Amino acid sequence: MSADTPPDPYANPVAFGQRMQILRERRGMSRTVLGGLLGRSTDWVKQVENGRMRPPGLDAVLRIAQALRVRDLADLTGHPGMRVDLFIGPGHPRLAAVRAAVDALPVRDPQAAPPPPSHLAARLARAWAARHSAPDHRERIGALLPDLIHDAQLAVQHAERPTEWRAAQAALSEVYSLSQFFLAYQPDPSLLWRVAERAMVAAQQAADPHAVGVAAWLLAQAHRDAGPDHYDAADAVTRQAIDHLTPSLPDAGDDLLAITGALTFEAGYTAARRGETATAWRHWDAAQVMATRLPESYFHRVTSFSQAIMGPHAVTVAVELHAGPESVRQAARADAGTIPSRPRRARHRIEQARGYQLDGQPEAALATLSQAYEAAPETIRYNGYARSIILEETESKVTARRRRAAELAVKVGVLAA
């Protein structure tokens, strides 16, 4: 082994600080950058690495693992079997209140008056509008969710007729679906799973095909984002949901057609994650056919499925297949300006940036991420792919690019100002 080669942290038992230094150097990251990511000084990093300071607590270890882009905590701790998701972002200030609302025991209070169904529906509509139009969409829906969760549960408890009860369950399922957009990339995966499962249970109780489709779409995403071990589960959920909805398609309205199209694309998304090129594009083609049956101005408020979204979906397929030139070609064809949702537009910019990075165009990647930030700061702030690209470029040997990446890193919050 060359003297310049960083040692293997498993070759001999080493202390936490030594592991931290080895992994930092493998990333080509300076102590200054790591300290900035952790909100600590360069001297603090040095003291931990040199063993002059006791190993930090679990919360700090998790932050270090995220900053160093470590998936297995054993790389830091030496204790096997501890995993950390690289793409979990920092906790949102509203997370604790949302968690409390989800965890609260929904005991029936006979004195509490449930909101009228029309009032609950109007509040949901406003919440979805905020989700799509506000740059700080997480803040906006995070502020609305605790009361929405409580009141939707209340509506279910006080429903007197079967039709009212099923309608209330459909509304509750939609509230939980909205919650999943807030909880995505938050440091509480168990909470996301509870909400995803409750959305499906409420949708099934409602016997509402559209609600079942939406809940399945989000549940499939939760499985896929949990990693390769869950891809089969994601496929199973998607396939079963499409089979459930298919008999209704000949007379389907726009919403039911859209959720079926969204599920069809999700099957392609998972195939792309597996590296199955032909299957991924076949599902994209099938979803495109469904999109063309929708009015040009239609936009599904949960999934964003529409004619306008199929171009960005093509970028996602190419990126997930790690096809740099193809992703750039698809990005050139997709018109982000036709996407009415700010966070979805920002996510498309992030996918474009991934494509540019794959194609060896880091300057274009950074410029596109800046566009994502302008569209919806809270989307890029909690997106692991965006954070990863920015971090890589803060270590660029090109001075102008390194400076630009550092400025964006400070805006996004991955480096301290």
Side-chain angles (χ1 to χ4, degrees):
M1 180 182 292
S2 166
D4 295 329
T5 303
D8 185 340
Y10 293 112
N12 296 292
V14 293
F16 175 88
Q18 292 174 286
R19 291 177 181 274
M20 177 171 150
Q21 180 175 358
I22 291 166
L23 293 165
R24 175 181 60 76
E25 291 175 348
R26 282 185 174 180
R27 294 303 313 169
M29 186 181 293
S30 68
R31 283 172 173 159
T32 301
V33 169
L34 179 58
L37 290 171
L38 300 174
R40 298 281 191 168
S41 67
T42 302
D43 187 60
W44 182 90
V45 175
K46 183 177 181 179
Q47 288 192 57
V48 172
E49 290 182 347
N50 292 343
R52 293 200 299 269
M53 182 180 292
R54 294 183 62 184
L58 179 59
D59 287 347
V61 169
L62 291 171
R63 289 197 300 273
I64 293 167
Q66 181 189 1
L68 295 174
R69 285 166 278 172
V70 172
R71 283 201 180 275
D72 193 335
L73 280 182
D75 288 350
L76 278 175
T77 66
H79 299 292
M82 299 177 66
R83 293 188 62 81
V84 61
D85 191 337
L86 168 65
F87 297 116
I88 292 296
H92 193 278
R94 298 277 184 182
L95 178 59
V98 173
R99 182 192 295 116
V102 172
D103 289 344
L105 185 64
V107 177
R108 190 179 192 279
D109 181 0
Q111 304 301 319
S118 59
H119 185 249
L120 190 58
R123 288 163 60 192
L124 260 172
R126 286 196 298 273
W128 284 116
R131 149 77 188 159
H132 290 300
S133 64
D136 58 339
H137 53 92
R138 281 184 191 266
E139 170 64 24
R140 296 284 295 277
I141 64 174
L144 296 172
L145 277 171
D147 287 342
L148 271 173
I149 292 169
H150 174 269
D151 288 352
Q153 291 173 337
L154 198 63
V156 170
Q157 294 167 357
H158 285 264
E160 296 179 351
R161 293 189 294 274
T163 53
E164 291 177 352
W165 184 79
R166 287 193 294 272
Q169 289 283 10
L172 179 61
S173 180
E174 189 171 349
V175 170
Y176 283 136
S177 294
L178 178 66
S179 302
Q180 289 177 73
F181 283 94
F182 175 83
L183 294 171
Y185 303 120
Q186 294 294 295
D188 195 342
S190 65
L191 184 62
L192 177 67
W193 279 108
R194 290 201 298 280
V195 167
E197 290 166 354
R198 289 184 190 182
M200 178 57 77
V201 170
Q204 291 171 327
Q205 296 284 5
D208 183 323
H210 177 259
V212 170
V214 169
W217 181 78
L218 286 160
L219 187 59
Q221 290 191 354
H223 277 297
R224 185 181 62 243
D225 289 345
D229 290 345
H230 289 251
Y231 288 172
D232 287 346
D235 282 335
V237 170
T238 304
R239 183 177 60 253
Q240 291 165 9
I242 293 173
D243 289 346
H244 177 69
L245 298 176
T246 297
S248 304
L249 290 183
D251 301 315
D254 291 343
D255 285 348
L256 195 59
L257 182 62
I259 190 57
T260 308
L263 284 160
T264 302
F265 171 71
E266 286 304 308
Y269 195 154
T270 306
R273 281 275 176 94
R274 293 180 187 274
E276 299 170 351
T277 302
T279 302
W281 286 115
R282 176 170 55 82
H283 284 300
W284 183 91
D285 287 339
Q288 169 77 339
V289 170
M290 294 185 188
T292 58
R293 291 174 55 186
L294 295 167
E296 188 174 353
S297 61
Y298 177 86
F299 192 82
H300 191 264
R301 73 182 188 182
V302 181
T303 67
S304 299
F305 192 79
S306 58
Q307 291 188 31
I309 212 65
M310 292 311 300
H313 277 344
V315 176
T316 296
V317 170
V319 167
E320 292 295 342
L321 289 169
H322 303 287
E326 177 63 16
S327 60
V328 170
R329 187 177 74 85
Q330 293 293 347
R333 296 175 59 187
D335 183 3
T338 63
I339 305 172
S341 168
R342 274 181 175 267
R344 188 58 186 86
R345 193 157 64 245
R347 183 188 157 197
H348 171 55
R349 293 299 190 193
I350 292 168
E351 297 293 88
Q352 283 183 306
R354 292 177 66 194
Y356 286 129
Q357 194 79 351
L358 284 170
D359 198 44
Q361 301 184 49
E363 292 284 1
L366 285 175
T368 308
L369 288 176
S370 294
Q371 292 177 313
Y373 181 83
E374 294 302 319
E378 286 198 333
T379 294
I380 188 171
R381 185 168 293 132
Y382 293 94
N383 186 283
Y385 295 113
R387 294 162 67 88
S388 178
I389 292 171
I390 294 168
L391 280 172
E392 286 183 17
E393 295 310 320
T394 60
E395 295 293 320
S396 171
K397 295 180 180 179
V398 180
T399 303
R401 189 192 312 158
R402 185 171 64 248
R403 183 182 300 114
R404 186 174 187 176
E407 291 172 354
L408 186 55
V410 171
K411 285 184 181 179
V412 171
V414 295
L415 279 180

